[in-house]
Amino acid sequence: GMRQPGSAFKPFALAAALQSGIGLEAEFEGGRSAVVATDAGPWRVENYNQLAYPNLTLLEATVFSVNVAYARLMTVVDPASVVAVAQAAGITTPLEAVPSVALGTQEVTVLDMASAYATFAAGGMHIDPLFVTRIEDQAGRVLFEALPLVEKAMEPEIADQVTAALTEAVRRGTGQQAKIGRQVAGKTGTTEGLYDAWFVGYTPELAA
């Protein structure tokens, strides 16, 4: 089924920002809420649980999933580039290029989210998800073998910076419940009233 990913979509906005030359150390205004001018009129954004934050870097905004900072980020990042990054990474549902796309307001599938996060894990290479890898007959002859389709979605250094930020999110930010005693990167996402609660993450071998 289709679900709103909420803040689990932020890494695609992060990657788009990094591609446009905005670094993890770039500073954004904090606060409790923000009103951002968009083509469709003013867009009002609040942080989860109405928390107020000081000014903070893009890294910290990712680690603590600060909506207000991401809304301000979208005043300098083209929404179309966020859509392009998400689709290259593996999101297959149509997305509208509007600033709120960064906050995961548009519906996607769970498979696509795991597939797209796997692209970060694979250093920017996207591998199409496969359900059947091989079929053999009783004698062990291979009747079918899937050839994974591998495409470069983004530069390795972009993917690695996203991974670094999402590793911090698990280590000391919103994803701390995902600590499993080994290297994990990931991002939480919730929608209004906890209707959807996400954690999308990966180890070097697995995305889920």
Side-chain angles (χ1 to χ4, degrees):
M2 302 274 285
R3 298 275 183 187
Q4 286 185 333
S7 287
F9 214 78
K10 282 177 182 156
F12 306 118
L14 172 59
L18 293 167
Q19 282 181 351
S20 75
I22 297 166
L24 287 173
E25 295 311 307
E27 283 232 340
F28 290 88
E29 195 185 328
R32 181 171 282 118
S33 62
V35 179
V36 175
T38 74
D39 295 344
W43 175 39
R44 185 183 170 83
V45 174
E46 290 187 346
N47 292 321
Y48 184 65
N49 285 347
Q50 276 79 53
L51 286 172
Y53 288 88
N55 293 359
L56 71 186
T57 63
L58 184 52
L59 174 62
E60 297 300 307
T62 305
V63 169
F64 297 103
S65 202
V66 182
N67 293 342
V68 164
Y70 264 83
R72 300 195 210 278
L73 175 68
M74 291 309 294
T75 63
V76 287
V77 171
D78 182 359
S81 68
V82 178
V83 170
V85 165
Q87 287 175 337
I91 301 294
T92 59
T93 51
L95 297 168
E96 268 187 279
V98 290
S100 61
V101 70
L103 299 188
T105 53
Q106 300 179 46
E107 294 192 334
V108 293
T109 69
V110 175
L111 174 65
D112 277 3
M113 287 296 283
S115 163
Y117 269 56
T119 300
F120 296 131
M125 300 304 287
H126 174 63
I127 300 144
D128 262 0
L130 294 169
F131 288 102
V132 179
T133 52
R134 192 165 68 194
I135 300 170
E136 297 177 359
D137 67 11
Q138 283 158 316
R141 278 185 305 242
V142 177
L143 305 177
F144 166 80
E145 187 144 22
L147 282 174
L149 187 67
V150 181
E151 288 175 289
K152 183 174 173 178
M154 66 190 76
E155 293 299 330
E157 48 272 28
I158 302 288
D160 291 348
Q161 284 186 77
V162 171
T163 293
L166 298 187
T167 301
E168 289 291 296
V170 173
R171 194 173 73 77
R172 60 187 177 88
T174 55
Q176 287 185 47
Q177 286 166 312
K179 284 184 186 174
I180 54 171
R182 49 177 302 199
Q183 218 185 341
V184 183
K187 185 79 193 68
T188 50
T190 49
T191 52
E192 288 299 312
L194 282 181
Y195 181 74
D196 289 308
W198 291 77
F199 177 79
V200 192
Y202 49 96
T203 66
E205 301 82 23
L206 188 71

